[in-house]
């Protein structure tokens, strides 16, 4: 089969590789009908995530048709059309029973858990196509993919909904929703969202559905800000105005009640702290650029909540913990517990509350992946979301 493989920093190729096979009784093989490139894939493309190996198959947002099943899977049939969560979860461990599926204890194989435990103390769940530290699983930017724990990991979708409408249940729609839920929004709140990429867009829409009165989107790409405005958000272009002053002014000096960091470890912009972080990265003594998190802590109103769906990878310098503590802020984070949100969000899609396909900017074939990665990284205003049909 053909698959999109990582060969090194900014080196992604479409290669012929052996078809995946059933390895365990709870596996399924899916023939992929649609797969997307995620903003978090750009951290891999940029060489920011440790424990990638040349030849790893990328992709964690995908859906398709079941073409083979292990003997242990009794709730699926060949031919079922399914969306697959990017977090791999056994469905049976302490964490899965609490629906904390991105923290599953059983989906990251032991050898890889050692790396994760050395870095983080404990291992989170395995992820598709996202480094050996997180399982080393082949991803879904391919014609076929093996889905472990398929009985909990394959979510059947109704025929009347198109791939475009349901594909993003695999990651970014639940991620945007959980970001808004984690922000602990109360009716009438003002919510600031840094980063108007796909996750930010869904966080904005989810924040309104969860009771926000005002949502303020912060980015520097006009197209993305325009998409945020279409959803009812006010916008701040950080290249034109001072974000901190603008947020203070528009909230009567109080600051936003809730702040969502949908940017993560690779902040853009020429703020002094961000330039310092870039310099540390360049000489190998820094991992992340947490400019947005610093800004959110200082901007947030006293007693407010910061929700952080953006991905961070390592050790973060110079966080204003004095402000964080003395303002009594709450910080909520985590990889998304995708399984928990698929059914309720499917119902939201069916009801027309959320239209996920508004963010799709490009539909390409799998063979166009190398160019698509480059364009998604370098022309982010134009390339909001790339969907590929293998
Ligand atoms: Zn993703
Ligand atoms: Zn589990």
């Amino acid at each position: 089969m053909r698959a999109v493989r990582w060969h090194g920093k900014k080196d992604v190729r479409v290669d012929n590789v052996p078809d995946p096979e059933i390895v365990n009784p709870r596996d399924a093989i899916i023939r992929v009908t649609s797969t997307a490139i995620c903003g978090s894939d750009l951290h891999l493309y940029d060489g920011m995530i440790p424990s990638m190996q040349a030849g790893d198959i990328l992709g964690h947002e995908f859906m398709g048709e079941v073409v083979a099943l292990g003997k242990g899977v009794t709730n699926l049939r060949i031919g079922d059309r399914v969306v697959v969560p990017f977090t791999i979860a056994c469905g049976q461990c302490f964490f899965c029973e609490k629906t904390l599926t991105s923290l599953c204890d059983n989906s990251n194989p032991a050898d890889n858990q050692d790396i994760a435990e050395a870095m983080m103390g404990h291992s989170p769940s395995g992820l598709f196509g996202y480094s050996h530290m997180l399982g080393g699983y082949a991803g879904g930017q391919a014609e076929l993919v093996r889905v472990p724990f398929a009985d909990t990991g394959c979510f059947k979708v109704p025929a009347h909904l198109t791939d475009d409408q349901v594909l993003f249940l695999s990651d970014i729609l639940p991620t945007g929703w959980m970001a808004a839920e984690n922000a602990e929004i109360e009716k009438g709140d003002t919510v600031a969202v840094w980063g108007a990429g796909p996750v930010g867009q869904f966080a904005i829409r989810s924040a309104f559905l969860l009771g926000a009165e005002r949502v303020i989107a912060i980015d520097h790409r006009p197209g993305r800000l325009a998409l945020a405005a279409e959803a009812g958000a006010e916008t701040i272009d950080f290249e034109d105005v001072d974000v901190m002053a603008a947020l203070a002014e528009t909230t009567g000096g109080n600051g936003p009640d809730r702040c969502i960091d949908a940017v993560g470890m690779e902040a853009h912009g020429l703020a002094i702290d961000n330039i310092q972080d870039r310099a540390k990265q360049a000489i190998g003594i820094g991992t992340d650029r947490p400019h947005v998190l610093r800004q959110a802590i200082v901007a947030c109103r006293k007693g407010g909540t910061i929700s952080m769906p953006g991905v961070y990878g390592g050790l973060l310098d110079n966080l204003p913990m004095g402000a964080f503590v003395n303002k009594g802020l709450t910080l909520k984070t985590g990889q998304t517990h995708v399984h928990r949100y698929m059914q309720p969000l499917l119902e939201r899609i069916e009801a027309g509350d959320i239209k996920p396909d508004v963010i799709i900017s490009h539909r390409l074939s799998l063979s166009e992946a190398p160019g698509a990665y480059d364009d998604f990284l370098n022309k982010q205003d134009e390339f909001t979301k790339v969907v590929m049909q293998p």
Side-chain angles (χ1 to χ4, degrees), residues 30-35 63-65 81 143 163 388-390:
I30 307 297
R31 181 178 304 286
V32 178
T33 53
S34 290
T35 177
M63 63 177 295
E65 184 189 327
R81 183 165 168 258
E143 290 176 308
D163 277 23
M388 299 183 292
Q389 268 104 20

Side-chain angles (χ1 to χ4, degrees), residues 38-40 60-61 86 171-172 385:
C38 181
S40 68
H60 60 265
E61 299 181 354
F86 78 100
D171 176 0
I172 53 173
K385 190 71 182 176

Side-chain angles (χ1 to χ4, degrees), residues 83-382:
V83 178
V84 179
F86 78 100
T87 48
I88 302 171
C90 77
Q92 296 168 343
C93 70
F94 172 87
F95 298 97
C96 285
E97 288 200 335
K98 292 181 182 296
T99 73
L100 301 168
T101 51
S102 75
L103 306 176
C104 174
D105 245 350
N106 291 327
S107 59
N108 194 1
D111 288 357
N112 304 312
Q113 282 212 0
D114 291 346
I115 319 173
E117 283 174 10
M119 283 189 68
M120 297 184 267
H122 304 90
S123 172
S125 76
L127 306 181
F128 287 99
Y130 216 82
S131 85
H132 287 263
M133 178 175 79
L134 297 173
Y137 291 99
Q141 289 168 11
E143 290 176 308
L144 298 164
V145 59
R146 179 176 76 93
V147 177
F149 304 119
D151 48 345
T152 55
C154 287
F155 180 73
K156 283 190 254 187
V157 286
H160 67 270
L161 296 175
T162 63
D163 277 23
D164 287 355
Q165 287 175 291
V166 292
L167 171 62
F168 302 133
L169 286 171
S170 58
D171 176 0
I172 53 173
L173 177 54
T175 297
W177 181 270
M178 190 171 108
E181 201 176 79
N182 272 350
E184 304 180 318
I185 296 163
E186 292 172 10
K187 208 164 169 46
D189 275 351
T190 296
V191 181
V193 180
W194 277 258
V199 169
Q201 297 292 341
F202 288 138
I204 289 164
R205 287 156 176 81
S206 303
F208 280 123
L209 290 169
L210 288 168
E213 186 173 315
R214 298 173 62 198
V215 179
I216 303 164
I218 303 155
D219 204 298
H220 65 145
R221 301 184 189 91
R224 291 185 170 199
L225 288 171
L227 200 54
E230 275 175 32
E234 301 156 52
T235 60
I236 293 176
D237 183 333
F238 67 74
E239 284 181 356
D240 292 346
V241 294
D242 179 335
V243 172
M244 303 302 285
L247 287 175
E249 193 190 326
T250 191
T251 56
N254 289 336
D257 303 291
R258 318 287 163 188
C259 294
I260 298 177
D261 171 2
V263 173
M265 67 199 288
E266 292 189 79
H268 291 266
L270 297 174
I272 288 172
D273 64 310
N274 204 39
I275 293 170
Q276 277 180 356
D277 290 336
R278 266 185 197 280
K280 286 184 197 161
Q281 278 180 337
I283 57 171
I285 59 165
T287 54
D288 300 51
R289 305 199 300 267
H291 168 67
V292 166
L293 181 57
R294 294 188 193 109
Q295 228 173 27
I297 290 171
V298 179
C300 194
R301 81 135 157 83
K302 292 185 284 184
T305 306
I306 297 171
S307 163
M308 209 165 79
V311 174
Y312 286 92
L315 304 174
L316 278 56
D317 292 340
N318 299 323
L319 288 180
M321 290 312 284
F324 184 76
V325 170
N326 287 294
K327 288 168 68 176
L329 302 181
T330 299
L331 175 64
K332 296 190 89 173
T333 69
Q335 297 281 8
T336 311
H337 308 302
V338 179
H339 302 67
R340 181 200 286 179
Y341 298 102
M342 293 179 98
Q343 183 60 38
L345 288 175
L346 181 81
E347 288 165 17
R348 291 270 186 188
I349 294 168
E350 287 189 303
D353 295 343
I354 300 177
K355 295 185 173 62
D357 51 334
V358 296
I359 65 160
I360 299 173
S361 59
H362 292 76
R363 287 181 186 77
L364 304 171
S365 70
L366 202 63
S367 56
E368 293 172 284
Y373 268 86
D374 203 55
D375 287 336
F376 191 34
L377 180 67
N378 294 310
K379 300 182 199 163
Q380 295 207 345
D381 199 39
E382 196 187 322

